[in-house]
């Protein structure tokens, strides 16, 4: 009897190991560079965190969350422009309005913006592709002309 | 060997089962929060708290009638109604009705009228002899079209005994930088960043019909008329981002604690000095703002009024109530309760607030150190530190029997705090 229970438990172990291995493998295959995420986290902590908070959840009525919103997961050009130009409109997300103004962060380098957006798009439950410095440079070039 | 393994597995099973039951227990306590001692709040001896209503929505300010009805103003209307009416049956309150097509913060009762504000207008509803609204569909507009732009929109209100209505018109800016790039003087103070005074019995007033009663106040949500010295007291929300904007003058830690949230006693014509100064409650001094030549050490021009009391930075005082009841012990009489909504601008330092403070008063002025009166609204200390509070105190009201009511605009919970020797 006891042996049977032990046997079942033993049989469960490889299963659970398989599960966690699968997760690790999946994570490794995602098209997001780990070093870019790490660098992005540093930028996030000093520039974005005071308003959007450590968990990306934002602040009630004031600063919008960065968790699974169309702004974060959607069009990269729009997102890059928000960082470059700041944001001066009310944002409505899930029925809540956020009204604090965001200052422009065009003083950040292309690589820093790419890193921080890559970090945001792959953190807080977000799963979206990386942003490259060349993409930021492209948006910045047309942004200046406009 | 086999035996050892078996024992080890049995132990792990026991541990797992134990963990599981702990989990269930933990869930259970959260589920039945109303059954917790004092609704999960910590209070001074002989005080107790009850949750009398829950899930009302974004419950901002509230007022209680002598008949035990509670009018709660929601920031965002629920099912199209911005004011919920409860009746307090002692341990629980039942929803009587709801009305008012506008959300907002301010709500007061005076001389047979219920006054309530949206972020743009102030309305009044006539009450019957039981303090019930006679015609909920047709309020009268007392003041219309107040300045409401991005940020600091709520129009908190207070009433004096001479037919005057005081309305906060918050500055639509943190520190006016975007409107005053050359530092010639903040131009938005002509129509915001202060308290305006109107008549309670004159309808359809415009902002220009009112008097700018006091200026240089960034944003006020908690305000109350002090009957003892016949004066308006307000709680200012201090500026944000000293370190983010001036890292050479302020460390992250200083920026988390500064500037103080201030209590002002106002007279007509007073200027509290925003955006030119802030108050440092460690130095006990008005400091010149870094946007206007300050460096963290230079003091501000003495012409601006001093606060009468100061509290740690960013705690967000959203409710102020002078306690005139007889239920609580003598020391509370004519003192001030302050509901602190809790901070967000302390990151990456831990967030704080989410409590109700008591400020002792003597002869109409703060007397002695403030103390935390009711704490624990946030839930665990970790929830408070992360700024992810479960409940956030906002409004305060006093019942006819001297009970204290606290609203929470996060979950829409109404707490009733009572005292028994």
């Amino acid at each position: 009897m006891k042996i049977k229970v032990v046997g079942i438990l033993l049989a469960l172990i490889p299963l659970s190991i398989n599960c966690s291995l699968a997760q690790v493998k999946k994570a490794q295959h995602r098209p997001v560079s780990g070093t870019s995420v790490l660098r992005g986290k540093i930028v996030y902590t000093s520039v974005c965190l005071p308003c959007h908070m450590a968990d990306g959840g934002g602040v009630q009525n004031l600063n919008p969350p960065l968790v699974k919103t169309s702004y974060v997961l959607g069009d990269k050009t729009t997102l890059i422009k928000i960082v470059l130009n700041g944001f001066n409109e009310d944002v409505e997300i899930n029925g809540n309005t956020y009204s604090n103004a965001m200052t422009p962060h065009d003083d950040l380098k292309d690589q820093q913006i790419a890193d921080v957006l890559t970090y945001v798009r792959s953190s807080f439950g977000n799963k979206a592709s990386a942003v490259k410095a060349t993409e930021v440079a492209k948006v910045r070039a047309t942004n200046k002309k406009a | 060997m086999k035996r050892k393994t078996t024992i080890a597995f049995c132990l792990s099973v026991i541990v797992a089962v134990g963990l599981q039951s702990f989990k269930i227990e933990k869930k259970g306590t959260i589920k039945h929060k109303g059954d917790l001692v004092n609704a999960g709040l910590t209070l001074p001896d002989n005080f107790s708290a009850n949750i009398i209503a829950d899930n009302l929505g974004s419950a901002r300010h509230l007022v209680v009638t002598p008949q035990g009805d509670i009018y709660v103003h929601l920031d965002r209307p629920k099912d199209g109604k911005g004011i919920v009416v409860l009746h307090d049956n002692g341990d629980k309150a039942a929803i009587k009705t709801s009305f008012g097509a506008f959300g907002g913060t301010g709500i007061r009762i005076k001389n047979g009228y219920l006054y309530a504000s949206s972020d743009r207008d102030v309305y009044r509803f006539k009450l019957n002899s039981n303090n019930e609204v006679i015609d909920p569909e047709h309020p009268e507009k007392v003041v219309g079209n107040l300045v409401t732009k991005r940020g600091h929109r709520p129009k908190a209100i207070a009433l004096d005994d001479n037919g005057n209505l005081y309305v906060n018109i918050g500055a639509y800016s943190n520190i006016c930088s975007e409107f005053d790039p050359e530092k010639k003087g903040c131009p938005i103070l002509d129509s915001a960043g202060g308290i305006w005074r109107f008549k309670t019995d004159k309808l359809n007033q415009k902002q220009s019909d009112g008097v700018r009663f006091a200026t240089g106040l960034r944003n006020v949500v908690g305000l109350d008329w002090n009957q003892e010295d016949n004066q308006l007291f307000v709680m200012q929300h201090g500026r944000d981002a000293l370190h983010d904007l001036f890292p050479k003058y302020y460390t992250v830690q200083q920026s988390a604690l500064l500037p103080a949230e201030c209590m002002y006693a106002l007279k007509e014509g007073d200027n509290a000095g925003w955006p030119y100064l802030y108050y440092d409650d460690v130095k006990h001094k008005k400091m010149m703002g870094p946007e206007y030549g300050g460096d963290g050490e230079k003091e501000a021009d003495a012409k601006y009024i001093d606060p009468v009391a100061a509290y740690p930075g960013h705690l967000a005082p959203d409710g102020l109530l002078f306690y005139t009841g007889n239920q609580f012990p003598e020391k509370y009489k004519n003192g001030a309760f302050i509901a602190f909504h809790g901070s967000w601008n302390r990151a990456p330092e831990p967030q704080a607030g989410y409590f109700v403070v008591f400020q002792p008063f003597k002869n109409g002025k703060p007397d002695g150190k403030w103390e935390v009166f009711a704490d624990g609204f946030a839930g665990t200390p970790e929830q408070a530190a992360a700024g992810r509070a479960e409940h956030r105190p906002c409004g305060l009201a006093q019942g006819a029997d001297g009970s204290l009511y606290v609203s929470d605009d996060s979950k829409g919970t109404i707490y009733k705090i009572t005292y028994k020797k």
Side-chain angles (χ1 to χ4, degrees):
Chain A
M1 180 65 186
K2 260 181 196 167
I3 293 165
K4 258 188 198 167
V5 174
V6 172
I8 290 165
L9 286 169
L10 279 173
L12 284 173
I13 290 170
L15 265 178
S16 61
I17 290 172
N18 270 345
C19 285
S20 48
L21 271 180
Q23 273 167 355
V24 171
K25 267 184 194 164
K26 212 176 162 192
Q28 281 171 344
H29 282 195
R30 277 176 42 214
V32 170
S33 144
T35 48
S36 177
V37 170
L38 285 179
R39 289 195 308 261
K41 189 177 180 178
I42 294 165
V43 178
Y44 183 86
T45 303
S46 66
V47 180
C48 319
L49 184 147
C51 292
H52 292 289
M53 314 296 280
D55 60 4
V59 179
Q60 182 189 16
N61 303 330
L62 300 173
N63 310 324
L66 304 175
V67 182
K68 296 178 185 169
T69 72
S70 55
Y71 290 90
V72 170
L73 301 178
D75 179 44
K76 288 189 208 175
T77 305
T78 312
L79 187 60
I80 293 164
K81 276 189 176 168
I82 290 174
V83 178
L84 289 172
N85 303 331
F87 204 77
N88 245 321
E89 294 158 40
D90 280 3
V91 188
E92 202 188 309
I93 296 166
N94 295 329
N96 296 309
T97 307
Y98 302 88
S99 61
N100 258 3
M102 174 171 152
T103 52
H105 294 287
D106 53 350
D107 53 323
L108 293 173
K109 294 185 179 75
D110 292 345
Q111 189 62 53
Q112 287 178 302
I113 292 176
D115 290 342
V116 77
L117 291 179
T118 299
Y119 169 71
V120 167
R121 280 162 64 92
S122 63
S123 304
F124 322 129
N126 297 327
K127 276 175 191 157
S129 59
V131 175
K132 294 190 204 89
T134 49
E135 292 174 293
V136 178
K138 225 182 204 174
V139 176
R140 199 196 290 266
T142 54
N143 191 46
K144 273 179 187 166
K145 279 176 204 159
Chain B
M1 179 63 192
K2 225 183 213 173
R3 224 177 128 174
K4 261 190 193 165
T5 324
T6 315
I7 289 166
F9 270 110
C10 284
L11 275 174
S12 62
V13 167
I14 289 165
V15 168
V17 169
L19 278 174
Q20 197 62 31
S21 61
F22 175 71
K23 227 178 175 177
I24 291 162
E25 230 170 70
K26 221 178 154 194
K27 260 188 192 161
T29 50
I30 289 163
K31 228 178 188 172
H32 304 292
K33 191 146 194 207
D35 300 335
L36 283 180
V37 178
N38 291 327
L41 302 185
T42 46
L43 297 160
D45 287 348
N46 301 318
F47 282 91
S48 56
N50 261 333
I51 288 175
I52 58 163
D54 216 346
N55 299 314
L56 295 181
S58 46
R60 298 284 285 175
H61 287 173
L62 74 172
V63 67
V64 187
T65 71
Q67 291 77 17
D69 284 344
I70 309 168
Y71 292 95
V72 184
H73 204 350
L74 306 181
D75 186 44
R76 292 178 296 283
K78 210 173 174 184
D79 303 323
K81 314 285 186 190
I83 300 170
V84 182
V85 191
L86 308 169
H87 186 74
D88 183 4
N89 295 312
D91 291 345
K92 283 279 170 232
I95 295 180
K96 267 176 81 167
T97 182
S98 54
F99 66 95
F102 56 95
T105 292
I107 194 155
R108 296 275 176 183
I109 284 180
K110 192 99 186 178
N111 297 335
Y113 282 95
L114 176 77
Y115 294 82
S117 63
S118 70
D119 289 353
R120 185 179 296 276
D121 309 308
V122 183
Y123 298 92
R124 69 176 190 178
F125 300 81
K126 193 159 178 50
L127 301 170
N128 67 18
S129 57
N130 285 322
N131 286 307
E132 293 162 330
V133 170
I134 296 166
D135 186 357
E137 296 298 320
H138 300 100
E140 296 175 316
K141 192 183 275 185
V142 182
V143 193
N145 223 9
L146 296 165
V147 164
T148 187
K149 297 195 182 179
R150 296 194 54 233
H152 303 154
R153 284 173 179 158
K155 302 292 182 283
I157 57 173
L159 302 164
D160 68 12
D161 296 328
N162 292 314
N164 293 309
L165 162 72
Y166 299 84
V167 185
N168 167 65
I169 302 176
Y172 41 94
S173 172
N174 171 32
I175 199 66
C176 207
S177 299
E178 64 273 49
F179 301 104
D180 189 15
E182 288 166 39
K183 309 301 169 201
K184 288 178 177 167
C186 177
I188 71 171
L189 286 164
D190 63 341
S191 60
I195 304 289
W196 266 252
R197 187 179 66 199
F198 301 92
K199 290 286 170 202
T200 51
D201 57 357
K202 212 175 137 194
L203 300 183
N204 298 310
Q205 295 166 88
K206 300 188 298 289
Q207 187 166 337
S208 54
D209 295 326
V211 172
R212 192 179 72 173
F213 181 73
T215 189
L217 291 158
R218 182 174 173 272
N219 187 37
V220 167
V221 189
L223 74 173
D224 198 14
W225 189 261
N226 186 316
Q227 298 288 346
E228 209 183 12
D229 73 346
N230 218 23
Q231 199 170 6
L232 180 69
F233 281 70
V234 302
M235 298 294 311
Q236 178 183 235
H237 284 224
R239 63 163 300 165
D240 290 327
L242 281 169
H243 168 78
D244 293 333
L245 298 171
F246 292 90
K248 61 180 171 178
Y249 298 142
Y250 305 92
T251 65
V252 169
Q253 289 76 18
Q254 282 174 316
S255 193
L257 299 172
L258 292 174
E261 305 284 55
C262 292
M263 177 189 276
Y264 292 99
L266 297 179
K267 293 190 302 293
E268 186 170 352
D270 275 347
N271 188 342
W274 177 90
Y276 313 116
L277 62 77
Y278 67 89
Y279 191 76
D280 184 326
D281 58 330
V282 180
K283 292 188 167 96
H284 302 287
K285 279 175 181 164
K286 299 192 293 271
M287 308 300 293
M288 190 185 282
E291 286 80 4
Y292 292 89
D295 56 3
E297 296 298 331
K298 281 185 209 153
E299 287 186 44
D301 192 323
K303 70 180 177 186
Y304 300 110
I305 61 166
D306 279 310
V308 291
Y311 308 86
H314 313 298
L315 300 191
D318 273 4
L320 175 66
L321 173 98
F322 288 106
Y323 186 78
T324 55
N326 295 318
Q327 184 185 133
F328 292 3
E330 187 57 30
K331 82 165 204 185
Y332 294 97
K333 186 100 176 188
N334 297 317
F337 286 103
I338 308 162
F340 283 98
H341 198 228
S343 70
W344 64 271
N345 205 254
R346 286 178 164 228
E349 293 291 294
Q351 305 298 335
Y354 321 103
F355 48 45
V356 176
V357 152
F358 177 69
Q359 170 66 61
F361 264 62
K362 201 174 173 185
N363 303 323
K365 289 287 170 287
D367 180 55
K369 178 96 176 104
W370 58 275
E371 55 197 64
V372 174
F373 173 76
D375 201 357
F377 292 91
T380 63
E382 290 75 23
Q383 282 171 296
R388 297 286 168 238
E390 268 189 64
H391 302 277
R392 306 188 70 173
C394 181
L396 298 167
Q398 183 187 311
D401 69 350
S403 299
L404 179 69
Y405 297 79
V406 185
S407 64
D408 142 48
D409 68 355
S410 183
K411 294 261 166 39
T413 303
I414 309 294
Y415 299 82
K416 181 182 179 181
I417 300 175
T418 52
Y419 177 80
K420 209 173 182 179
K421 239 179 253 175

